[in-house]
Amino acid sequence: MKTPRLPIALQQAVMRSLRENLALANRTLEKNYTEPAVLYQQRGTVAGTAWLQQWEIRLNPVLLLENQQTFIDDVVPHELAHLLVWKEFGRVPPHGKEWKWMMETVLGVSARRTHQFNTATLQKTFTYYCPCRQHQLTVRRHNRVLRGETRYRCTHCGSDLRPEK
């Protein structure tokens, strides 16, 4: 899937949210953390990731385009909180008490670990068959079958799944 072009106004809204949340965190924590880089390179069904050592946030452009304001309000502070927690506390569990504190107390955002965005348009599946039914395998599982790394069996009849002919 080709990466969609994001409107400048949408990219500006992301940066505005990032800067506002970072300024709030810097005031509250009495620090002067610099602005992380923002890249629109996240793929698949993941909304965003924080790359700690690179001090960078990677966002999914498809989910951003489809869920604009909700994405900006939820995902941008979520990923920023990961970076801030890493600076403040070092290596801790990704969605542990430090992250929850950073989200709720410092940034004033609900601490949800996963997004609720519709990802149906992002999930390509491959049809496989057994004697009793049809199955849909993800790209990852399909590729593992093609490489000969594994076989999958039907949980009902126990037969090996075979790709669509």
Side-chain angles (χ1 to χ4, degrees):
M1 175 184 279
K2 191 174 177 193
T3 302
R5 294 193 76 152
L6 293 174
I8 294 296
L10 192 54
Q11 292 179 47
Q12 289 171 332
V14 166
M15 293 310 294
R16 188 168 34 259
S17 172
L18 177 69
R19 289 176 181 135
E20 288 170 1
N21 282 291
L22 182 59
L24 176 61
N26 279 335
R27 280 193 308 276
T28 305
L29 301 170
E30 298 179 352
K31 298 288 170 97
N32 192 25
Y33 293 124
T34 60
E35 185 177 294
V38 176
L39 303 172
Y40 299 96
Q41 298 177 339
Q42 187 65 53
R43 300 281 183 260
T45 60
V46 176
T49 52
W51 289 71
L52 306 177
Q53 286 84 3
Q54 291 89 340
W55 195 248
E56 121 187 338
I57 294 172
R58 295 185 186 174
L59 300 175
N60 186 317
V62 175
L63 290 176
L64 171 58
L65 204 52
E66 292 176 353
N67 303 281
Q68 301 185 7
Q69 196 58 51
T70 305
F71 187 102
I72 291 167
D73 294 342
D74 295 344
V75 177
V76 172
H78 177 116
E79 300 308 333
L80 176 61
H82 284 301
L83 295 177
L84 296 170
V85 165
W86 180 67
K87 286 288 192 182
E88 286 289 306
F89 303 103
R91 284 233 177 257
V92 295
H95 297 107
K97 64 182 186 217
E98 298 87 355
W99 176 82
K100 186 176 180 183
W101 173 81
M102 188 68 70
M103 286 289 286
E104 294 177 348
T105 305
V106 176
L107 300 178
V109 179
S110 175
R112 280 195 309 250
R113 294 178 55 199
T114 58
H115 67 75
Q116 303 298 314
F117 305 135
N118 180 0
T119 59
T121 59
L122 302 172
Q123 295 176 325
K124 175 145 178 56
T125 59
F126 293 84
T127 304
Y128 277 67
Y129 296 93
C130 72
C132 74
R133 61 190 64 202
Q134 175 178 305
H135 304 267
Q136 297 299 315
L137 266 59
T138 63
V139 171
R140 179 172 288 170
R141 288 184 175 206
H142 171 69
N143 287 336
R144 290 187 71 205
V145 169
L146 292 180
R147 290 190 301 261
E149 295 174 356
T150 193
R151 299 181 334 211
Y152 293 98
R153 294 179 186 261
C154 176
T155 57
H156 294 89
C157 71
S159 298
D160 281 353
L161 304 184
R162 301 280 178 216
E164 185 174 34
K165 293 183 177 43

